[in-house]
Structure formats: C-alpha cells, structure tokens
Amino acid sequence: MRYALEVQYRGKCYAGSQIQFEDGEQIQEPTIQGELEKALRTLIKSGDSANNKRPIKTIFSGRTDKGVNSLEQVVHFDYDNDIVASKFVYQMNEILPDDISVNNLRIVHDSFHAQKSAKSRYYKYELINR
C-alpha cells in the first residue's frame, strides 16, 4: 500500500529536506528525510515482526534547502500492512524531533507519486531587510 504524509517542519537545524550524497557517499548532516525514515523504521519495527524486511524509502513532493521551513510538504512511502492513521500520526510525533511534525496520513493510489502527482506548489519567501 502507498501512504501519503503531510509534514511540517522548521528547517533551521537541517541540511535540507532530502538526504544528501557526495561521491556516492551519504553526507552525515541531519535532514528531514533522514529523521522521517529513522522514525518510520523505529515505529514499524516495533509493530512488525517479520513482514516488512525492506527499508522504507520516503519520496518528497519537492526539495527544500538548508534552513528552509515547510508548512505542508507531502511525502509518500510504501508499506505492506494497514496503518491506523490517528495512532500512527500520534506515535510518529512522539518519536520525531520537536521541529518536525506529521499532520496527516492517508492511503493513496499506488500510482500516486508525491513529486510527480503534485498539482501545485506554493512558496513564500520572507526576508529581513535591516
């Protein structure tokens, strides 16, 4: 099954939304994707014995740079078992750092792709000019 998350975060302490690679090696700076996948592994491992052996990979609707915030970024992932949305959201938010929050979880069609299925994107830039 494919699930879509709505994620909100303050990006001040992160090297962007996506895990970064350099020369084929993962850069060890924290990212939103890294924190989400770590929380998903923790949550799913605790509730799942032998079923999902493959790692859970998240796909983001877009990329954000270092220090950028998001109010509602859509992220999808595949998982074979049923998830109770309200319980899952609560548990994810207990595991995630305080500056990342999951606001919603829903089942989506297998053809849904967080990046390719997006119908619009909205960006708001706020600059302090002193």
Side-chain angles (χ1 to χ4, degrees):
M1 275 186 267
R2 182 156 291 175
Y3 292 92
L5 295 170
E6 290 174 13
V7 181
Q8 178 176 342
Y9 53 85
R10 288 189 310 264
K12 181 180 178 182
C13 299
Y14 300 95
S17 60
Q18 312 270 306
I19 294 172
Q20 306 292 314
F21 291 89
E22 188 174 293
D23 299 326
E25 297 284 324
Q26 183 176 330
I27 297 173
Q28 295 304 310
E29 289 187 71
T31 62
I32 304 300
Q33 181 181 19
E35 294 299 321
L36 271 178
E37 289 181 3
K38 185 172 24 172
L40 283 166
R41 279 193 307 272
T42 300
L43 184 57
I44 286 172
K45 187 191 312 180
S46 69
D48 193 2
S49 54
N51 275 339
N52 278 282
K53 295 283 187 194
R54 63 194 155 116
I56 291 185
K57 173 89 170 111
T58 56
I59 307 294
F60 281 61
S61 59
R63 299 179 73 90
T64 58
D65 292 332
K66 184 174 189 168
V68 173
N69 304 327
S70 176
L71 290 175
E72 186 179 321
Q73 184 156 27
V74 176
V75 177
H76 83 258
F77 67 94
D78 295 326
Y79 180 61
D80 295 332
N81 296 345
D82 289 331
I83 296 175
V84 177
S86 59
K87 180 179 176 184
F88 180 85
V89 168
Y90 175 81
Q91 291 174 325
M92 282 291 287
N93 288 328
E94 286 294 307
I95 297 169
L96 286 166
D98 290 341
D99 48 7
I100 304 172
S101 174
V102 173
N103 298 331
N104 193 19
L105 171 81
R106 65 184 187 278
I107 297 173
V108 292
H109 192 271
D110 287 343
S111 65
F112 175 85
H113 191 280
Q115 189 176 33
K116 297 174 184 172
S117 299
K119 294 185 178 159
S120 68
R121 290 180 172 83
Y122 175 77
Y123 299 93
K124 180 180 178 182
Y125 298 90
E126 292 184 1
L127 305 172
I128 299 173
N129 186 11
R130 308 184 204 187

